[in-house]
Amino acid sequence: MVNDVGMLEGVVSRSDLLKAFLRADAEVEEDIRRSVLGEPAAPVGLDVTVADGVATIRGPLADRSMVPLVARAVRAVEGVVDVRMELGAP
């Protein structure tokens, strides 16, 4: 950053800019539980964990056509950088 006369006043790094977009994993996980897996429309038995912004959805899912919909909904949550689906048959 420079002041009115062009003198350097400070440096802004990429990490400084990205901090505004970072959320704690626990906060992201809670948001996914509430907004994506929340009752009453939750697919029964699905669970989520988040580590370093990567959301992992685990559990049984009877309707395989729901996989891309769940993945897309999870990706839309602010703070999610990737989604892993570990789904099985009910």
Side-chain angles (χ1 to χ4, degrees):
M1 296 185 325
V2 293
N3 64 15
D4 295 342
V5 294
M7 299 292 294
L8 182 65
E9 287 191 344
V11 177
V12 178
S13 70
R14 182 181 319 162
S15 65
D16 292 330
L17 297 174
L18 293 176
K19 282 181 186 176
F21 298 103
L22 296 179
R23 295 175 67 193
D25 288 338
E27 184 181 339
V28 174
E29 187 175 309
E30 179 58 32
D31 198 2
I32 293 168
R33 286 182 197 283
R34 187 180 63 253
S35 66
V36 178
L37 304 179
E39 295 294 331
V44 177
L46 291 185
D47 193 31
V48 62
T49 56
V50 178
D52 298 325
V54 178
T56 302
I57 308 297
R58 291 183 182 89
L61 189 62
D63 186 354
R64 290 304 211 189
S65 68
M66 293 295 294
V67 171
L69 299 174
V70 172
R72 189 175 314 128
V74 172
R75 273 191 192 92
V77 173
E78 186 178 318
V80 173
V81 296
D82 197 12
V83 177
R84 294 190 180 139
M85 305 293 277
E86 298 178 2
L87 304 173

